[in-house]
Structure formats: structure tokens, C-alpha cells
Amino acid sequence: MQTKSSCRPPRGTTYLTIGQDLFSIQQYVNEQFNSSLHSGSMSPMSSFFPSAVMAYTDLSSLRGLEKPTDYGSGIEYADGVIQNLFSGYDVGLQVSSVNGEGSKA
């Protein structure tokens, strides 16, 4: 039996986590909502929000958490996504970084 604090989704369902850049996350939600409207659904846009989102930052600067930044793959902006769309969050960190360049963990 699950408790209310469990991170496990209800039986027969899944939790979707998507990322990583702000545009891709917004585009996903918009496309799902648009497709549902073409199918005759009256579900609100909020019903297409994923359970969690993901973004990257690096340990040396923490760019992309509180202010938008672009590492080359799109705008990373954790606060903007969380405040406007989602509650769950997954962070990818660059652990070997020199001046914001390194491999992602």
C-alpha cells in the first residue's frame, strides 16, 4: 500500500519527467494540448504538464538555476520552469568543470 508521501505513481500510471531546455518543455506541453483539442478533448492545458522537469547546471557557477543561461543546447532556467509550470524537478550537474565547460553527470 502506498502512503501519501510516496513518489511512486498510482498503479497503472507513470510519472513523466522531461527536459532539458525551457523551449523544449514548453513546446511539449503546447503540442500535447493542441493535439488533444484536435481530438475533441476539453482538458485544460495544465493536465498536460509532466510530473517533473530537468535542467542542467555546473557546480562552478550554478548558471541556469535562478537566471536563464544557454550552454549551447537551449535556455536552462530552473526557477522559471518551476514557478510557471511544474512542481517536480531533476538537476543534471557538470561535476568536472572549468569556467562552465565539462562533462555532465
Side-chain angles (χ1 to χ4, degrees):
M1 175 177 233
Q2 283 182 290
T3 63
K4 287 190 176 230
S5 63
S6 175
C7 257
R8 188 178 307 164
R11 188 175 300 268
T13 64
T14 59
Y15 285 153
L16 175 66
T17 300
I18 65 171
Q20 70 199 36
D21 62 275
L22 183 60
F23 175 75
S24 296
I25 295 166
Q26 290 173 328
Q27 186 177 22
Y28 168 83
V29 172
N30 289 337
E31 288 178 2
Q32 296 301 311
F33 180 61
N34 186 42
S35 177
S36 77
L37 294 175
H38 285 285
S39 300
S41 172
M42 296 301 291
S43 298
M45 184 178 277
S46 61
S47 65
F48 299 96
F49 293 171
S51 299
V53 295
M54 190 215 184
Y56 287 109
T57 189
D58 66 85
L59 290 175
S60 65
S61 71
L62 300 179
R63 291 180 304 171
L65 295 181
E66 297 179 333
K67 295 188 294 188
T69 195
D70 190 343
Y71 290 103
S73 62
I75 301 295
E76 303 285 343
Y77 184 32
D79 279 354
V81 173
I82 292 170
Q83 290 174 13
N84 294 300
L85 297 176
F86 311 101
S87 59
Y89 194 71
D90 182 15
V91 178
L93 295 173
Q94 289 182 345
V95 293
S96 59
S97 181
V98 177
N99 297 326
E101 296 180 15
S103 60
K104 294 178 179 80

